PDB file of all heavy atoms in Angstrom:
ATOM      1  N   GLU A1030      -4.441 -25.550 -76.876  1.00  0.00           N
ATOM      2  CA  GLU A1030      -3.836 -25.811 -75.568  1.00  0.00           C
ATOM      3  C   GLU A1030      -4.773 -26.669 -74.728  1.00  0.00           C
ATOM      4  O   GLU A1030      -6.002 -26.532 -74.815  1.00  0.00           O
ATOM      5  CB  GLU A1030      -3.555 -24.522 -74.800  1.00  0.00           C
ATOM      6  CG  GLU A1030      -2.489 -23.634 -75.403  1.00  0.00           C
ATOM      7  CD  GLU A1030      -1.086 -24.203 -75.295  1.00  0.00           C
ATOM      8  OE1 GLU A1030      -0.870 -25.113 -74.478  1.00  0.00           O
ATOM      9  OE2 GLU A1030      -0.201 -23.709 -76.035  1.00  0.00           O
ATOM     10  N   ALA A1031      -4.195 -27.521 -73.898  1.00  0.00           N
ATOM     11  CA  ALA A1031      -4.965 -28.219 -72.864  1.00  0.00           C
ATOM     12  C   ALA A1031      -5.217 -27.238 -71.731  1.00  0.00           C
ATOM     13  O   ALA A1031      -4.324 -26.469 -71.356  1.00  0.00           O
ATOM     14  CB  ALA A1031      -4.190 -29.424 -72.347  1.00  0.00           C
ATOM     15  N   ILE A1032      -6.419 -27.237 -71.196  1.00  0.00           N
ATOM     16  CA  ILE A1032      -6.745 -26.362 -70.074  1.00  0.00           C
ATOM     17  C   ILE A1032      -6.241 -27.021 -68.799  1.00  0.00           C
ATOM     18  O   ILE A1032      -6.627 -28.144 -68.475  1.00  0.00           O
ATOM     19  CB  ILE A1032      -8.256 -26.096 -70.011  1.00  0.00           C
ATOM     20  CG1 ILE A1032      -8.700 -25.362 -71.285  1.00  0.00           C
ATOM     21  CG2 ILE A1032      -8.609 -25.281 -68.772  1.00  0.00           C
ATOM     22  CD1 ILE A1032     -10.196 -25.229 -71.438  1.00  0.00           C
ATOM     23  N   ARG A1033      -5.363 -26.339 -68.097  1.00  0.00           N
ATOM     24  CA  ARG A1033      -4.699 -26.879 -66.910  1.00  0.00           C
ATOM     25  C   ARG A1033      -4.314 -25.720 -66.002  1.00  0.00           C
ATOM     26  O   ARG A1033      -4.377 -24.558 -66.419  1.00  0.00           O
ATOM     27  CB  ARG A1033      -3.465 -27.678 -67.332  1.00  0.00           C
ATOM     28  CG  ARG A1033      -2.463 -26.855 -68.110  1.00  0.00           C
ATOM     29  CD  ARG A1033      -1.457 -27.733 -68.850  1.00  0.00           C
ATOM     30  NE  ARG A1033      -0.408 -26.953 -69.487  1.00  0.00           N
ATOM     31  CZ  ARG A1033      -0.524 -26.365 -70.677  1.00  0.00           C
ATOM     32  NH1 ARG A1033      -1.657 -26.443 -71.342  1.00  0.00           N
ATOM     33  NH2 ARG A1033       0.478 -25.676 -71.197  1.00  0.00           N
ATOM     34  N   PRO A1034      -3.920 -25.991 -64.755  1.00  0.00           N
ATOM     35  CA  PRO A1034      -3.533 -24.892 -63.862  1.00  0.00           C
ATOM     36  C   PRO A1034      -2.329 -24.120 -64.401  1.00  0.00           C
ATOM     37  O   PRO A1034      -1.421 -24.688 -65.009  1.00  0.00           O
ATOM     38  CB  PRO A1034      -3.186 -25.618 -62.554  1.00  0.00           C
ATOM     39  CG  PRO A1034      -3.950 -26.896 -62.621  1.00  0.00           C
ATOM     40  CD  PRO A1034      -3.962 -27.288 -64.075  1.00  0.00           C
ATOM     41  N   ALA A1035      -2.357 -22.809 -64.187  1.00  0.00           N
ATOM     42  CA  ALA A1035      -1.257 -21.934 -64.582  1.00  0.00           C
ATOM     43  C   ALA A1035      -0.744 -21.209 -63.340  1.00  0.00           C
ATOM     44  O   ALA A1035      -1.532 -20.760 -62.500  1.00  0.00           O
ATOM     45  CB  ALA A1035      -1.727 -20.932 -65.622  1.00  0.00           C
ATOM     46  N   SER A1036       0.551 -21.090 -63.216  1.00  0.00           N
ATOM     47  CA  SER A1036       1.149 -20.465 -62.045  1.00  0.00           C
ATOM     48  C   SER A1036       0.907 -18.953 -62.053  1.00  0.00           C
ATOM     49  O   SER A1036       0.723 -18.357 -63.124  1.00  0.00           O
ATOM     50  CB  SER A1036       2.650 -20.721 -62.012  1.00  0.00           C
ATOM     51  OG  SER A1036       3.286 -19.996 -63.049  1.00  0.00           O
ATOM     52  N   PRO A1037       0.918 -18.321 -60.882  1.00  0.00           N
ATOM     53  CA  PRO A1037       0.781 -16.851 -60.835  1.00  0.00           C
ATOM     54  C   PRO A1037       1.857 -16.145 -61.654  1.00  0.00           C
ATOM     55  O   PRO A1037       1.582 -15.137 -62.301  1.00  0.00           O
ATOM     56  CB  PRO A1037       0.908 -16.528 -59.343  1.00  0.00           C
ATOM     57  CG  PRO A1037       0.481 -17.788 -58.646  1.00  0.00           C
ATOM     58  CD  PRO A1037       0.952 -18.904 -59.526  1.00  0.00           C
ATOM     59  N   GLY A1038       3.076 -16.698 -61.665  1.00  0.00           N
ATOM     60  CA  GLY A1038       4.148 -16.085 -62.440  1.00  0.00           C
ATOM     61  C   GLY A1038       3.863 -16.116 -63.932  1.00  0.00           C
ATOM     62  O   GLY A1038       4.099 -15.125 -64.642  1.00  0.00           O
ATOM     63  N   LEU A1039       3.343 -17.243 -64.414  1.00  0.00           N
ATOM     64  CA  LEU A1039       3.011 -17.341 -65.834  1.00  0.00           C
ATOM     65  C   LEU A1039       1.861 -16.413 -66.167  1.00  0.00           C
ATOM     66  O   LEU A1039       1.848 -15.781 -67.229  1.00  0.00           O
ATOM     67  CB  LEU A1039       2.662 -18.787 -66.193  1.00  0.00           C
ATOM     68  CG  LEU A1039       2.417 -19.075 -67.673  1.00  0.00           C
ATOM     69  CD1 LEU A1039       3.616 -18.675 -68.523  1.00  0.00           C
ATOM     70  CD2 LEU A1039       2.077 -20.547 -67.879  1.00  0.00           C
ATOM     71  N   ARG A1040       0.915 -16.299 -65.273  1.00  0.00           N
ATOM     72  CA  ARG A1040      -0.210 -15.377 -65.472  1.00  0.00           C
ATOM     73  C   ARG A1040       0.302 -13.945 -65.623  1.00  0.00           C
ATOM     74  O   ARG A1040      -0.115 -13.207 -66.512  1.00  0.00           O
ATOM     75  CB  ARG A1040      -1.183 -15.492 -64.302  1.00  0.00           C
ATOM     76  CG  ARG A1040      -2.386 -14.577 -64.399  1.00  0.00           C
ATOM     77  CD  ARG A1040      -3.253 -14.702 -63.140  1.00  0.00           C
ATOM     78  NE  ARG A1040      -4.229 -13.639 -63.083  1.00  0.00           N
ATOM     79  CZ  ARG A1040      -5.459 -13.741 -63.552  1.00  0.00           C
ATOM     80  NH1 ARG A1040      -5.864 -14.849 -64.140  1.00  0.00           N
ATOM     81  NH2 ARG A1040      -6.303 -12.724 -63.441  1.00  0.00           N
ATOM     82  N   ARG A1041       1.252 -13.532 -64.752  1.00  0.00           N
ATOM     83  CA  ARG A1041       1.802 -12.183 -64.837  1.00  0.00           C
ATOM     84  C   ARG A1041       2.543 -11.951 -66.148  1.00  0.00           C
ATOM     85  O   ARG A1041       2.487 -10.866 -66.719  1.00  0.00           O
ATOM     86  CB  ARG A1041       2.745 -11.917 -63.659  1.00  0.00           C
ATOM     87  CG  ARG A1041       2.031 -11.649 -62.341  1.00  0.00           C
ATOM     88  CD  ARG A1041       2.976 -11.121 -61.282  1.00  0.00           C
ATOM     89  NE  ARG A1041       4.049 -12.058 -60.994  1.00  0.00           N
ATOM     90  CZ  ARG A1041       3.962 -13.033 -60.082  1.00  0.00           C
ATOM     91  NH1 ARG A1041       2.835 -13.190 -59.390  1.00  0.00           N
ATOM     92  NH2 ARG A1041       4.976 -13.842 -59.860  1.00  0.00           N
ATOM     93  N   ARG A1042       3.257 -12.966 -66.623  1.00  0.00           N
ATOM     94  CA  ARG A1042       4.017 -12.814 -67.869  1.00  0.00           C
ATOM     95  C   ARG A1042       3.113 -12.848 -69.107  1.00  0.00           C
ATOM     96  O   ARG A1042       3.491 -12.350 -70.158  1.00  0.00           O
ATOM     97  CB  ARG A1042       5.078 -13.915 -67.975  1.00  0.00           C
ATOM     98  CG  ARG A1042       6.224 -13.723 -67.005  1.00  0.00           C
ATOM     99  CD  ARG A1042       7.383 -14.649 -67.310  1.00  0.00           C
ATOM    100  NE  ARG A1042       7.056 -16.060 -67.208  1.00  0.00           N
ATOM    101  CZ  ARG A1042       7.093 -16.766 -66.079  1.00  0.00           C
ATOM    102  NH1 ARG A1042       7.439 -16.173 -64.934  1.00  0.00           N
ATOM    103  NH2 ARG A1042       6.805 -18.051 -66.071  1.00  0.00           N
ATOM    104  N   THR A1043       1.929 -13.441 -68.970  1.00  0.00           N
ATOM    105  CA  THR A1043       1.035 -13.590 -70.120  1.00  0.00           C
ATOM    106  C   THR A1043       0.274 -12.313 -70.436  1.00  0.00           C
ATOM    107  O   THR A1043       0.094 -11.970 -71.605  1.00  0.00           O
ATOM    108  CB  THR A1043       0.055 -14.753 -69.878  1.00  0.00           C
ATOM    109  OG1 THR A1043       0.810 -15.962 -69.749  1.00  0.00           O
ATOM    110  CG2 THR A1043      -0.962 -14.905 -71.002  1.00  0.00           C
ATOM    111  N   ALA A1044      -0.165 -11.604 -69.409  1.00  0.00           N
ATOM    112  CA  ALA A1044      -0.955 -10.383 -69.637  1.00  0.00           C
ATOM    113  C   ALA A1044      -0.837  -9.477 -68.417  1.00  0.00           C
ATOM    114  O   ALA A1044      -0.584  -9.934 -67.307  1.00  0.00           O
ATOM    115  CB  ALA A1044      -2.416 -10.746 -69.909  1.00  0.00           C
ATOM    116  N   ALA A1045      -1.069  -8.189 -68.655  1.00  0.00           N
ATOM    117  CA  ALA A1045      -1.048  -7.200 -67.579  1.00  0.00           C
ATOM    118  C   ALA A1045      -2.382  -7.211 -66.839  1.00  0.00           C
ATOM    119  O   ALA A1045      -3.394  -7.721 -67.343  1.00  0.00           O
ATOM    120  CB  ALA A1045      -0.774  -5.816 -68.155  1.00  0.00           C
ATOM    121  N   GLU A1046      -2.383  -6.616 -65.642  1.00  0.00           N
ATOM    122  CA  GLU A1046      -3.606  -6.622 -64.834  1.00  0.00           C
ATOM    123  C   GLU A1046      -4.758  -5.919 -65.535  1.00  0.00           C
ATOM    124  O   GLU A1046      -5.914  -6.326 -65.395  1.00  0.00           O
ATOM    125  CB  GLU A1046      -3.339  -5.998 -63.458  1.00  0.00           C
ATOM    126  CG  GLU A1046      -2.589  -6.925 -62.512  1.00  0.00           C
ATOM    127  CD  GLU A1046      -3.249  -8.299 -62.377  1.00  0.00           C
ATOM    128  OE1 GLU A1046      -4.487  -8.367 -62.180  1.00  0.00           O
ATOM    129  OE2 GLU A1046      -2.532  -9.310 -62.488  1.00  0.00           O
ATOM    130  N   ASN A1047      -4.464  -4.849 -66.284  1.00  0.00           N
ATOM    131  CA  ASN A1047      -5.575  -4.171 -66.980  1.00  0.00           C
ATOM    132  C   ASN A1047      -6.171  -5.056 -68.077  1.00  0.00           C
ATOM    133  O   ASN A1047      -7.344  -4.921 -68.417  1.00  0.00           O
ATOM    134  CB  ASN A1047      -5.133  -2.822 -67.533  1.00  0.00           C
ATOM    135  CG  ASN A1047      -4.052  -2.938 -68.583  1.00  0.00           C
ATOM    136  OD1 ASN A1047      -3.263  -3.883 -68.593  1.00  0.00           O
ATOM    137  ND2 ASN A1047      -3.983  -1.964 -69.476  1.00  0.00           N
ATOM    138  N   GLU A1048      -5.382  -5.996 -68.610  1.00  0.00           N
ATOM    139  CA  GLU A1048      -5.926  -6.954 -69.560  1.00  0.00           C
ATOM    140  C   GLU A1048      -6.802  -7.973 -68.845  1.00  0.00           C
ATOM    141  O   GLU A1048      -7.917  -8.276 -69.280  1.00  0.00           O
ATOM    142  CB  GLU A1048      -4.804  -7.662 -70.311  1.00  0.00           C
ATOM    143  CG  GLU A1048      -4.003  -6.763 -71.225  1.00  0.00           C
ATOM    144  CD  GLU A1048      -2.830  -7.485 -71.848  1.00  0.00           C
ATOM    145  OE1 GLU A1048      -3.012  -8.097 -72.906  1.00  0.00           O
ATOM    146  OE2 GLU A1048      -1.731  -7.449 -71.239  1.00  0.00           O
ATOM    147  N   TRP A1049      -6.293  -8.520 -67.730  1.00  0.00           N
ATOM    148  CA  TRP A1049      -7.082  -9.503 -66.976  1.00  0.00           C
ATOM    149  C   TRP A1049      -8.408  -8.907 -66.503  1.00  0.00           C
ATOM    150  O   TRP A1049      -9.411  -9.605 -66.404  1.00  0.00           O
ATOM    151  CB  TRP A1049      -6.296 -10.023 -65.773  1.00  0.00           C
ATOM    152  CG  TRP A1049      -5.126 -10.865 -66.150  1.00  0.00           C
ATOM    153  CD1 TRP A1049      -3.814 -10.634 -65.871  1.00  0.00           C
ATOM    154  CD2 TRP A1049      -5.149 -12.111 -66.867  1.00  0.00           C
ATOM    155  NE1 TRP A1049      -3.024 -11.636 -66.395  1.00  0.00           N
ATOM    156  CE2 TRP A1049      -3.809 -12.548 -66.995  1.00  0.00           C
ATOM    157  CE3 TRP A1049      -6.170 -12.891 -67.420  1.00  0.00           C
ATOM    158  CZ2 TRP A1049      -3.474 -13.730 -67.652  1.00  0.00           C
ATOM    159  CZ3 TRP A1049      -5.825 -14.060 -68.077  1.00  0.00           C
ATOM    160  CH2 TRP A1049      -4.497 -14.470 -68.182  1.00  0.00           C
ATOM    161  N   ALA A1050      -8.413  -7.592 -66.238  1.00  0.00           N
ATOM    162  CA  ALA A1050      -9.623  -6.934 -65.752  1.00  0.00           C
ATOM    163  C   ALA A1050     -10.744  -6.935 -66.796  1.00  0.00           C
ATOM    164  O   ALA A1050     -11.910  -6.706 -66.451  1.00  0.00           O
ATOM    165  CB  ALA A1050      -9.310  -5.504 -65.323  1.00  0.00           C
ATOM    166  N   LEU A1051     -10.408  -7.195 -68.040  1.00  0.00           N
ATOM    167  CA  LEU A1051     -11.427  -7.236 -69.098  1.00  0.00           C
ATOM    168  C   LEU A1051     -12.304  -8.484 -69.018  1.00  0.00           C
ATOM    169  O   LEU A1051     -13.391  -8.524 -69.608  1.00  0.00           O
ATOM    170  CB  LEU A1051     -10.757  -7.199 -70.475  1.00  0.00           C
ATOM    171  CG  LEU A1051      -9.954  -5.950 -70.804  1.00  0.00           C
ATOM    172  CD1 LEU A1051      -9.175  -6.154 -72.096  1.00  0.00           C
ATOM    173  CD2 LEU A1051     -10.877  -4.741 -70.925  1.00  0.00           C
ATOM    174  N   LEU A1052     -11.819  -9.525 -68.337  1.00  0.00           N
ATOM    175  CA  LEU A1052     -12.543 -10.796 -68.278  1.00  0.00           C
ATOM    176  C   LEU A1052     -13.582 -10.800 -67.169  1.00  0.00           C
ATOM    177  O   LEU A1052     -13.309 -10.337 -66.059  1.00  0.00           O
ATOM    178  CB  LEU A1052     -11.570 -11.941 -68.038  1.00  0.00           C
ATOM    179  CG  LEU A1052     -10.781 -12.429 -69.237  1.00  0.00           C
ATOM    180  CD1 LEU A1052      -9.663 -13.356 -68.774  1.00  0.00           C
ATOM    181  CD2 LEU A1052     -11.692 -13.166 -70.225  1.00  0.00           C
ATOM    182  N   PRO A1053     -14.751 -11.364 -67.440  1.00  0.00           N
ATOM    183  CA  PRO A1053     -15.700 -11.587 -66.344  1.00  0.00           C
ATOM    184  C   PRO A1053     -15.179 -12.719 -65.455  1.00  0.00           C
ATOM    185  O   PRO A1053     -14.293 -13.478 -65.848  1.00  0.00           O
ATOM    186  CB  PRO A1053     -16.987 -11.996 -67.067  1.00  0.00           C
ATOM    187  CG  PRO A1053     -16.516 -12.571 -68.363  1.00  0.00           C
ATOM    188  CD  PRO A1053     -15.255 -11.838 -68.731  1.00  0.00           C
ATOM    189  N   ASP A1054     -15.748 -12.807 -64.263  1.00  0.00           N
ATOM    190  CA  ASP A1054     -15.357 -13.903 -63.371  1.00  0.00           C
ATOM    191  C   ASP A1054     -15.709 -15.234 -64.025  1.00  0.00           C
ATOM    192  O   ASP A1054     -16.698 -15.368 -64.720  1.00  0.00           O
ATOM    193  CB  ASP A1054     -16.093 -13.793 -62.016  1.00  0.00           C
ATOM    194  CG  ASP A1054     -15.630 -12.579 -61.230  1.00  0.00           C
ATOM    195  OD1 ASP A1054     -14.488 -12.141 -61.450  1.00  0.00           O
ATOM    196  OD2 ASP A1054     -16.413 -12.080 -60.416  1.00  0.00           O
TER     197      ASP A1054
END
């Protein structure tokens, strides 16, 4: 994939908040 901006809606559909919490800043 090309790295590009992703919308908040796509972010929500891609993974749950507990998954996103696994990533460091």
Side-chain angles (χ1 to χ4, degrees):
E1030 293 290 342
I1032 297 171
R1033 58 196 186 277
S1036 70
L1039 185 57
R1040 180 184 167 93
R1041 284 192 299 273
R1042 289 191 298 274
T1043 297
E1046 284 308 312
N1047 63 333
E1048 293 175 88
W1049 292 119
L1051 297 171
L1052 281 168
D1054 293 334

